Amino acid sequence: MVGFSKSSIKQQETARAALTGFLLATVGADKKYSAFADPTATIKGLTNRDEKWLEQQLPENPDRPIIAR
């Protein structure tokens, strides 16, 4: 694929694996993948974020300063 670096592809693979694990744990009720649905679990290569962090990162958040481009 032209224009994609290896790190981008690696990030896509990691995200795909995390999403698959989460869906198997929640929708599929597979206990083998329960760590993917646990917000306190640590999984190699992933960083857990909570709703409050996500809320702060949204561009609509009035408390977040707008960076001039």
Side-chain angles (χ1 to χ4, degrees):
M1 298 182 92
V2 177
F4 289 104
S5 67
K6 289 183 181 181
S7 63
S8 178
I9 292 171
K10 181 66 177 168
Q11 290 170 350
Q12 291 172 15
E13 290 173 347
T14 302
R16 200 174 302 123
L19 179 59
T20 301
F22 177 78
L23 290 173
L24 286 170
T26 56
V27 178
D30 192 338
K31 292 182 182 189
K32 180 177 167 183
Y33 297 96
S34 63
F36 287 95
D38 181 5
T40 61
T42 55
I43 300 172
K44 183 180 175 183
L46 297 178
T47 303
N48 293 343
R49 303 289 187 194
D50 61 3
E51 288 180 41
K52 190 164 193 85
W53 178 87
L54 179 60
E55 219 173 73
Q56 293 171 349
Q57 299 304 311
L58 293 173
E60 302 88 26
N61 188 345
D63 297 332
R64 184 174 180 217
I66 298 173
I67 300 171
R69 293 182 186 192

